Amino acid sequence: ADGFRATQPPERLVPLVQRGNLGEAILRAIGMAADGAAGDLEKLSEAIALFRAVGLEDTARRFALQTMILVEEA
């Protein structure tokens, strides 16, 4: 839920977004998402926030739902 409440990208990725390095920011967020799916909830929230901040709302929602399903099955 924290990732969906955020209105800005995570601090650690702001410089990349400001420089226009969206591809690199998204790749880093994907890595953070993997860490988040493994249990690092802060990184999970930050990945979702980044996806939303760069216009990937649908990706953020799908990732969040898939993560919830996988955690529930485990």
Side-chain angles (χ1 to χ4, degrees), residues 51-52 55-64:
F51 294 146
R52 293 184 66 243
L56 298 174
E57 180 76 30
D58 188 54
T59 300
R61 289 176 192 266
R62 287 175 189 237
F63 172 71

Side-chain angles (χ1 to χ4, degrees), residues 37-60:
D40 187 334
L41 299 182
E42 182 178 346
K43 286 186 179 179
L44 176 70
S45 295
E46 289 180 345
I48 291 170
L50 184 277
F51 294 146
R52 293 184 66 243
V54 299
L56 298 174
E57 180 76 30
D58 188 54
T59 300

Side-chain angles (χ1 to χ4, degrees), residues 2-61:
D2 289 341
F4 287 100
R5 282 192 279 264
T7 58
Q8 299 293 321
E11 285 293 319
R12 68 176 97 197
L13 298 179
V14 166
L16 293 173
V17 174
Q18 288 176 338
R19 286 194 307 261
N21 296 351
L22 295 181
E24 184 178 352
I26 291 168
L27 287 173
R28 290 192 184 198
I30 290 169
M32 293 164 58
D35 292 341
D40 187 334
L41 299 182
E42 182 178 346
K43 286 186 179 179
L44 176 70
S45 295
E46 289 180 345
I48 291 170
L50 184 277
F51 294 146
R52 293 184 66 243
V54 299
L56 298 174
E57 180 76 30
D58 188 54
T59 300
R61 289 176 192 266

